[in-house]
Amino acid sequence: MFTGIITDIGTVRAVSQAGDTRFEITTGYDLGTVDMGASIACNGCCLTVIEKGPDWFAIQASAETLSKTTLADWGQGTRINLERALKIGDELGGHIVSGHVDGLGEIVSITPEGDSKRFRFRVPHELARFIAPKGSVAIDGTSLTVNEVEGNVFGVNIIPHTQAVTTWGSMKVGQRVNIEIDMLARYVARLTEYKPT
């Protein structure tokens, strides 16, 4: 489990394929405190550390993961948002995030709004019904508050601090992003849909 509060920006240093796809990611984390098998959210995807060095760790992604996330777009030099797994007693500054990406969205516009930027995203219709004004959504692993929803397009404001400490400061219109809907919204929808037989 995660909170959607990004704690480092990593950089993909190598990509290789041997069955699954292996990514090596440089980080500022103290990897002496990261166990083998630990989970790290990489752009919102919960991934397992399979090898590590003094300033890098490696993860493996299956074909299923590549088909459902932006990992297929990653290459050497790609910058990604990182978050270590939540520990009992940690501050819950964002919202509960599982690291299980529900689908892909696309940035359709970026507009300055005061010192912030208003980002608007298009998501598949099957995800749009879970996104509500003033609700939470994790986008590329970042916990964000939804401002408005129009059909399958919604907007969020991203403040300068968030732009500076995540990859949001360099995002462009047309980029694909990982979307994880709010867990509460998922369960409420399931309760309203379920019809016992």
Side-chain angles (χ1 to χ4, degrees), residues 6 22 38 46 69-70 73 90 92 98 101-102 110 144 156 178 194-195:
I6 303 306
R22 173 190 163 101
C46 178
T69 69
T70 61
D73 301 339
D90 283 354
L92 184 60
S98 69
V101 172
D102 292 297
I110 305 171
L144 296 166
V156 303
N178 293 321
Y194 180 70
K195 305 275 191 276

Side-chain angles (χ1 to χ4, degrees), residues 11-192:
T11 303
V12 176
R13 74 173 203 168
V15 181
S16 58
Q17 291 182 312
D20 289 335
T21 302
R22 173 190 163 101
F23 296 92
E24 292 181 5
I25 301 165
T26 60
T27 180
Y29 290 149
D30 174 1
L31 287 157
T33 65
V34 175
D35 294 333
M36 293 298 292
S39 295
I40 296 179
C42 302
N43 268 8
C45 303
C46 178
L47 298 166
T48 301
V49 174
I50 61 166
E51 189 179 348
K52 63 180 183 168
D55 65 347
W56 63 274
F57 64 93
I59 55 95
Q60 242 175 334
S62 67
E64 172 74 6
T65 300
L66 294 177
S67 73
K68 298 286 191 282
T69 69
T70 61
L71 271 73
D73 301 339
W74 293 2
Q76 189 174 4
T78 299
R79 297 171 71 238
I80 55 174
N81 294 321
L82 299 177
E83 181 187 357
R84 292 184 63 179
L86 179 65
K87 294 179 184 147
I88 299 298
D90 283 354
E91 181 177 314
L92 184 60
H95 71 283
I96 297 292
V97 175
S98 69
H100 301 157
V101 172
D102 292 297
L104 295 171
E106 179 187 353
I107 300 171
V108 294
S109 67
I110 305 171
T111 309
E113 197 165 285
D115 292 330
S116 300
K117 288 184 180 175
R118 173 70 60 101
F119 283 73
R120 288 173 55 82
F121 304 90
R122 181 180 299 110
V123 294
H125 288 285
E126 61 269 17
L127 292 185
R129 67 192 186 99
F130 295 104
I131 299 172
K134 305 309 173 198
S136 296
V137 64
I139 310 174
D140 271 2
T142 311
S143 174
L144 296 166
T145 301
V146 176
N147 287 335
E148 79 283 336
V149 180
E150 298 170 13
N152 68 328
V153 175
F154 70 95
V156 303
N157 269 49
I158 300 185
I159 63 172
H161 172 78
T162 303
Q163 294 173 50
V165 299
T166 68
T167 59
W168 287 105
S170 60
M171 299 294 266
K172 307 282 187 227
V173 171
Q175 275 188 261
R176 299 190 316 157
V177 292
N178 293 321
I179 303 284
E180 181 183 330
I181 58 173
D182 183 38
M183 198 174 297
L184 181 60
R186 182 193 326 274
Y187 287 114
V188 168
R190 177 65 179 143
L191 283 170
T192 60

